[in-house]
Amino acid sequence: TIITLSIIIGTVMAMSSSNWLMAWIGLELNMLAILPMISKPKTTRASEATTKYFLTQAIASAMMLLSSTINAWQTGNWDILELKNKFSTTIMALSLMMKMGAAPIHFWLPEVLQGTTLQTALLITTWQKIAPITLMYMISNNIQPTILVSAGILSMIIGGLGGINQTQLRKTMAYSSINNLGWTITIMAFSPNMALMNIFIYIIMTTPIFLMMTSTSMKTLQNLSTTWTTSMTMTLSIALLMLSTSGLPPFTGFMPKMLILNELISQKLTALATLAIMTSLVSLLFYLRITYLIMMLTPPTTTPSSTKWRTQNQKLQPMTMMIPTALFVTHLIPAVPY
């Protein structure tokens, strides 16, 4: 209870503060609270993941303090909205990207997710991104667009290419997270509100995937091909959610991508929009591979052998409420003027 409260309080403190020092304290409280959760499995992989997470977040926090201190030295102000110094804004943007796990400082994310439990992996890919995204939203007017667009495109490319060769589902979801952060950071330079909408919809789509993976102990692509034997509904839901996360119409994941591309084209950035579409095609490849493994490789048959998990006694109410939202809210899209 104490750890959960500390994680929530740390994020809320970082989001609601107007002062860099209070935001830093909130992020530190959040980081220190999640370390015991990552190291909960008593394995060497979990200890390694905890160390990597701690070192990365500590370096990002040090960069954040350096940036805000330089800005306070120049302007005499610790206010978040008054980050005017170009050097400070660049370091701050890099430190926030490091905290989120965006490229080019993304190397820790797949390794940490692979070393911890599925519940903690869900927490790292969703809740832990809220505070840095909020801080980046607050200073988005002061960050140079070139930095955001470069990091965004790099995240899209790395997220797409990195996920292709993976057999571990947690690493695949980590690269999926990096790819989605690329879209969020790219549009942050031109329409910060749309960036918030994109990350919010990503969280809605990712949460039920992780909850279903947790309830069925799914960890590798090989596990996916045997899910038919226990729950056909869950198997179909995971396949559709993967397609939704990839951005295929008519699912929910298509909505933010279409709005982002529309915004980029209306800003006369057609080349950037084309590059974003090309990278999303690369990431679509590994989502389609997962869907193919789930739906087309194994026929819906029952097996006489005993299975290693059962879903009857699990608490599935949150999951069942989120799945329709993660799949079928595209019709709520606002009218896009052409």
Side-chain angles (χ1 to χ4, degrees):
T1 309
I2 292 169
I3 288 170
T4 310
L5 270 175
S6 300
I7 290 171
I8 294 168
I9 290 167
T11 301
V12 171
M13 191 189 292
M15 286 168 65
S16 56
S17 58
S18 60
N19 184 296
W20 278 119
L21 276 178
M22 286 304 293
W24 176 78
I25 290 168
L27 287 169
E28 287 298 293
L29 176 64
N30 182 292
M31 184 257 287
L32 291 171
I34 203 173
L35 290 176
M37 293 186 75
I38 300 172
S39 61
K40 192 180 177 185
K42 298 295 180 281
T43 59
T44 50
R45 289 298 295 269
S47 305
E48 184 188 335
T50 312
T51 310
K52 283 177 179 173
Y53 186 83
F54 172 73
L55 288 174
T56 314
Q57 298 294 320
I59 292 166
S61 296
M63 287 169 66
M64 196 173 163
L65 265 185
L66 171 68
S67 167
S68 50
T69 308
I70 290 171
N71 186 66
W73 180 41
Q74 295 279 336
T75 62
N77 201 335
W78 285 93
D79 194 357
I80 289 177
L81 299 174
E82 295 298 319
L83 197 70
K84 303 293 186 189
N85 188 348
K86 280 188 178 180
F87 180 65
S88 294
T89 50
T90 306
I91 295 178
M92 185 62 72
L94 286 172
S95 73
L96 292 174
M97 285 175 204
M98 198 170 180
K99 281 196 169 289
M100 285 185 270
I105 324 166
H106 66 283
F107 300 101
W108 62 272
L109 187 60
E111 297 300 322
V112 169
L113 290 201
Q114 186 57 31
T116 186
T117 61
L118 285 164
Q119 293 97 323
T120 314
L122 167 63
L123 201 64
I124 292 169
T125 49
T126 54
W127 182 263
Q128 293 298 97
K129 287 184 171 50
I130 295 174
I133 286 273
T134 309
L135 290 171
M136 189 177 273
Y137 173 84
M138 291 169 80
I139 62 167
S140 57
N141 289 335
N142 299 328
I143 306 173
Q144 296 173 52
T146 317
I147 294 166
L148 289 175
V149 170
S150 304
I153 291 294
L154 195 59
S155 296
M156 287 184 207
I157 294 168
I158 287 170
L161 293 176
I164 288 174
N165 205 25
Q166 297 300 330
T167 56
Q168 296 287 335
L169 280 175
R170 279 170 293 183
K171 280 194 174 180
T172 307
M173 292 308 292
Y175 283 109
S176 164
S177 169
I178 293 165
N179 180 272
N180 195 274
L181 274 175
W183 285 83
T184 306
I185 292 169
T186 302
I187 198 61
M188 185 74 80
F190 310 105
S191 176
N193 291 334
M194 207 170 283
L196 283 189
M197 182 200 70
N198 184 52
I199 202 73
F200 177 65
I201 288 176
Y202 170 75
I203 289 171
I204 288 175
M205 290 186 298
T206 306
T207 307
I209 293 176
F210 270 109
L211 289 175
M212 281 190 278
M213 283 165 61
T214 307
S215 65
T216 55
S217 303
M218 235 187 284
K219 291 186 174 68
T220 62
L221 291 180
Q222 191 178 2
N223 297 148
L224 277 177
S225 57
T226 59
T227 48
W228 275 116
T229 56
T230 297
S231 174
M232 291 188 194
T233 313
M234 199 173 284
T235 308
L236 188 65
S237 299
I238 288 184
L240 292 176
L241 283 166
M242 286 293 179
L243 292 178
S244 180
T245 314
S246 70
L248 269 186
F251 300 115
T252 302
F254 173 65
M255 181 173 74
K257 288 193 176 180
M258 194 186 91
L259 290 172
I260 288 169
L261 291 173
N262 181 70
E263 180 67 27
L264 290 175
I265 291 166
S266 67
Q267 299 264 7
K268 303 288 186 289
L269 294 164
T270 315
L272 182 59
T274 310
L275 191 56
I277 292 169
M278 298 294 281
T279 55
S280 74
L281 286 175
V282 177
S283 64
L284 180 63
L285 190 61
F286 68 81
Y287 289 115
L288 281 176
R289 187 176 65 155
I290 292 171
T291 311
Y292 171 73
L293 278 172
I294 297 173
M295 298 182 75
M296 297 176 189
L297 212 58
T298 309
T301 55
T302 52
T303 176
S305 62
S306 59
T307 48
K308 66 178 184 294
W309 38 258
R310 290 291 176 198
T311 54
Q312 280 80 1
N313 299 324
Q314 301 284 344
K315 293 180 180 177
L316 303 176
Q317 289 88 346
M319 193 163 63
T320 48
M321 286 190 293
M322 292 189 79
I323 290 169
T325 316
L327 289 176
F328 305 116
V329 296
T330 315
H331 59 280
L332 298 178
I333 189 168
V336 179
Y338 289 106

